[in-house]
Amino acid sequence: MSPDSSSSTVALPSVGVVPAERARPDMRLLGLLALGHMVIDINQGSLPAILPIVKDALNLSYAATGVIVLTANITSSMIQPLFGYLADKTARRWLLPLSVLLSSVGLAFTGLAPSYAAVLALVMVTGFGVAAYHPEGYRTATAVAGERKATGVSIFSTGGNVGIALGPPLMTALLIGFGPAGSLGMLVPGLLVTGLLVAVLPRLSAPPPAVARARANAAGARTMWAR
């Protein structure tokens, strides 16, 4: 029976084919996100190493020094669920480079802070950067990991673990070599990774290939001639 060209068409749902892109994580983007996580946690982990310098320079008591640690924990950890809530609402990829920049700038100038109030303000800036990066970073890592979500999260988490381990010895080496001004050395990795994240923002903000293809299939569902 020949098809009637005048008859209407009926849209059928596309066959559920899993595209190859979904199975393969984007290792370059995952590596960059893990690198950003490493820098973020280097900055977070470096604070204990710089506290003795700050305590002596500003003649702080142990109680005042403890308040610095408390401020860092509140801003970097306790407000993190707020950024997680925002990340669940909508993607804010621009937070990734901004948070790396904030955490690096805040920590870098802590060694040269002229007053106790300035130290607290800089620690808060660092903490906000740390808090903002983690939820958006995990969300983005799972987005670029395709179907291998656990692999993506593991790679991303490894960057942070390495950063926590590297932070204290790196900051100690800078302070021994250059004195309190050595904390400015933390700007180097921070600015570098910030620039790299800004460069890939269009790719990070684009929908994953699988999602883009699913949308295309939904918009142009296959048709057949009605009999």
Side-chain angles (χ1 to χ4, degrees):
M1 180 177 178
S2 59
D4 183 3
S5 60
S6 64
S7 60
S8 60
T9 59
V10 177
L12 295 179
S14 58
V15 179
V17 177
V18 179
E21 294 93 330
R22 295 184 65 183
R24 293 196 299 268
D26 190 326
M27 298 305 296
R28 291 184 179 180
L29 291 181
L30 278 175
L32 181 55
L33 291 170
L35 184 63
H37 196 186
M38 183 181 74
V39 172
I40 284 285
D41 282 1
I42 282 177
N43 294 333
Q44 183 179 22
S46 295
L47 182 62
I50 201 173
L51 282 180
I53 300 295
V54 173
K55 180 179 180 298
D56 291 342
L58 300 178
N59 195 26
L60 301 178
S61 65
Y62 283 104
T65 306
V67 170
I68 297 176
V69 178
L70 176 64
T71 302
N73 289 333
I74 290 176
T75 53
S76 66
S77 300
M78 294 188 67
I79 67 169
Q80 200 169 134
L82 172 61
F83 286 102
Y85 173 80
L86 295 175
D88 281 336
K89 290 295 183 181
T90 182
R92 293 175 172 84
R93 307 297 193 222
W94 51 269
L95 276 175
L96 296 172
L98 178 61
S99 57
V100 172
L101 180 64
L102 287 177
S103 69
S104 300
V105 169
L107 181 69
F109 287 95
T110 299
L112 300 177
S115 66
Y116 183 61
V119 171
L120 293 179
L122 290 168
V123 167
M124 289 179 65
V125 170
T126 301
F128 279 123
V130 172
Y133 188 86
H134 285 89
E136 193 63 41
Y138 277 109
R139 176 190 173 106
T140 308
T142 57
V144 302
E147 287 294 298
R148 301 180 182 177
K149 307 298 185 186
T151 298
V153 170
S154 298
I155 293 173
F156 181 79
S157 298
T158 298
N161 293 334
V162 172
I164 288 291
L166 289 179
L170 178 58
M171 177 60 79
T172 300
L174 288 171
L175 295 175
I176 291 176
F178 302 98
S183 62
L184 293 175
M186 305 305 288
L187 285 173
V188 176
L191 293 176
L192 176 61
V193 174
T194 297
L196 292 175
L197 287 170
V198 169
V200 301
L201 266 183
R203 291 181 61 191
L204 292 175
S205 302
V211 175
R213 184 171 298 186
R215 290 175 181 174
N217 289 341
R222 295 186 307 167
T223 61
M224 67 174 291
W225 297 105
R227 294 182 181 271

